[in-house]
Amino acid sequence: MPVFVKELIAGGVAGGFAKTVVAPLERVKILFQTRRAEFQSLGLLGSFSKIAKTEGVLGFYRGNGASVARIVPYAALHYMAYEEYRRWIILGFPDAGRGPVLDLIAGSFAGGTAVLFTYPLDLVRTKLAYQVVESSKTSVKRHAQKDLVYNGIRDCFSKIYKEVGIRGLYRGVAPSLYGIFPYAGLKFYFYEEMKRHVSEDHKKDITVKLVCGSVAGLLGQTFTYPLDVVRRQMQVQRLMASESRPMIGTFETLVTIARTQGWKQLFSGLSINYLKVVPSVAIGFTVYDVMKAYLQVPSRDETASSSEVAAARRKLPSSPSLSQTHQ
């Protein structure tokens, strides 16, 4: 099996497992970001209690099917593309070095690549998580508000496409790209930079990797979080009855949120995101490492070294083969 296929499998399994574990926190975070009226003053515990009472345990996982359907290919592409971009940069620019800047560039482009391929699923996940419905054993009832109810992933895709076409499936993709480039790059940058200060005896310790990865994820999220709020509100704008006019474009949406909702709204749900990022990144890195070991994926340094050797051989002038010399 090719190395890139093994990396795709390892990344997909890691992403799906980690996302399911933190799905309840993700649901509440989306409700905070999109300013659902019922959840504005409840806080974290109050929101958990309300969801449990009105929707039951399954309410915490509303939209998680779309989330996992998105995160599996997203994580697979993200990890694989990061490794591949890193190899290509080393191969094409052997004198560039292997410092954290290399990881910043490779991580940024890998994040952008993964977003472009999987964004429609993220849009569907957000719309499903945004709607609040009262569940029963036999039916799904509309809430008091006149929200459009999507009955699953396929129904959501179909209705979005019928209403606004293919462009509707990429509503809010601009802030996603603006956010993912610095976030993905900074995450890998901080991760590798912190590992540089760890002694050689502990670099292979999985606990050290998880700690470095968690801190890197927290730092990256803090710098780029406002763009995540902009993305969420653009995604559910058609469901927000209180909006009197459409918010066109990323910058205008950012300014509108700050002016009408206050600048604090740009960081709404950030504390929940901190609670979510730590276990998510920790589990993601752990499962990814376990899967790579199970699939016998060579280490990053080994593949990079082989790429450098191949590049060096191509630079050597052609010479007669050993058999031709003997002839």
Side-chain angles (χ1 to χ4, degrees):
M1 187 185 297
V3 173
F4 80 91
V5 176
K6 294 180 179 180
E7 291 167 348
L8 280 171
I9 295 172
V13 172
F17 191 82
K19 181 62 70 173
T20 300
V21 171
V22 300
L25 288 168
E26 181 73 12
R27 173 83 199 280
V28 175
K29 186 193 78 170
I30 290 175
L31 292 171
F32 278 12
Q33 287 179 326
T34 52
R35 288 175 63 86
R36 289 291 310 206
E38 312 95 293
F39 296 87
Q40 286 183 16
S41 59
L42 290 178
L44 178 59
L45 296 179
S47 297
F48 270 104
S49 177
K50 182 176 178 62
I51 292 173
K53 289 179 180 178
T54 59
E55 303 179 68
V57 175
L58 292 180
F60 292 109
Y61 293 90
R62 184 170 301 282
N64 189 57
S67 182
V68 171
R70 178 195 74 93
I71 203 63
V72 168
Y74 174 83
L77 283 170
H78 197 174
Y79 281 111
M80 186 276 291
Y82 164 71
E83 304 283 5
E84 290 298 317
Y85 281 134
R86 195 175 186 276
R87 292 187 196 111
W88 292 343
I89 294 172
I90 291 175
L91 186 63
F93 305 93
D95 298 329
R98 299 190 197 173
V101 175
L102 171 63
D103 299 286
L104 175 68
I105 297 172
S108 296
F109 280 101
T113 300
V115 164
L116 285 176
F117 277 95
T118 62
Y119 184 80
L121 283 165
D122 182 58
L123 176 72
V124 169
R125 183 274 302 266
T126 300
K127 287 181 178 292
L128 291 174
Y130 174 78
Q131 64 182 19
V132 179
V133 296
E134 294 179 356
S135 61
S136 67
K137 294 183 179 179
T138 58
S139 63
V140 177
K141 304 175 182 178
R142 286 183 183 272
H143 217 254
Q145 294 184 349
K146 296 180 180 180
D147 290 344
L148 177 64
V149 175
Y150 296 112
N151 297 313
I153 300 172
R154 183 180 298 180
D155 182 58
C156 190
F157 265 115
S158 177
K159 288 180 178 177
I160 294 172
Y161 184 77
K162 287 179 181 178
E163 288 175 5
V164 285
I166 192 68
R167 293 181 62 183
L169 294 173
Y170 279 88
R171 175 68 176 167
V173 71
S176 294
L177 290 174
Y178 298 155
I180 197 61
F181 268 92
Y183 170 65
L186 287 171
K187 182 174 66 175
F188 283 109
Y189 174 87
F190 287 133
Y191 179 64
E192 295 299 327
E193 180 64 24
M194 291 191 322
K195 281 173 59 180
R196 287 178 58 193
H197 300 284
V198 178
S199 63
E200 291 294 331
D201 296 336
H202 295 90
K203 279 191 175 180
K204 293 184 178 181
D205 188 346
I206 192 65
T207 304
V208 172
K209 291 182 179 180
L210 296 179
V211 171
C212 291
S214 298
V215 174
L218 290 174
L219 292 173
Q221 278 287 300
T222 302
F223 287 121
T224 61
Y225 191 78
L227 288 170
D228 191 46
V229 175
V230 171
R231 171 169 61 107
R232 297 298 184 198
Q233 294 212 11
M234 290 179 72
Q235 287 176 336
V236 302
Q237 185 228 331
R238 283 178 172 268
L239 303 178
M240 298 172 72
S242 60
E243 295 296 332
S244 58
R245 66 183 183 87
M247 295 183 288
I248 303 173
T250 304
F251 181 73
E252 182 182 349
T253 303
L254 180 69
V255 173
T256 301
I257 292 173
R259 186 177 65 248
T260 62
Q261 304 173 19
W263 66 269
K264 290 185 178 180
Q265 178 62 26
L266 293 172
F267 293 91
S268 178
L270 181 58
S271 58
I272 299 177
N273 213 48
Y274 285 152
L275 295 175
K276 178 182 74 74
V277 165
V278 172
S280 178
V281 173
I283 294 168
F285 273 113
T286 301
V287 177
Y288 183 61
D289 284 341
V290 169
M291 288 298 298
K292 284 206 302 181
Y294 176 75
L295 296 172
Q296 298 180 342
V297 177
S299 69
R300 198 177 297 155
D301 290 335
E302 288 177 11
T303 53
S305 297
S306 62
S307 298
E308 289 175 335
V309 170
R313 286 177 178 173
R314 282 198 290 270
K315 288 183 179 181
L316 290 175
S318 59
S319 58
S321 64
L322 185 61
S323 60
Q324 290 174 331
T325 303
H326 282 297
Q327 290 175 356

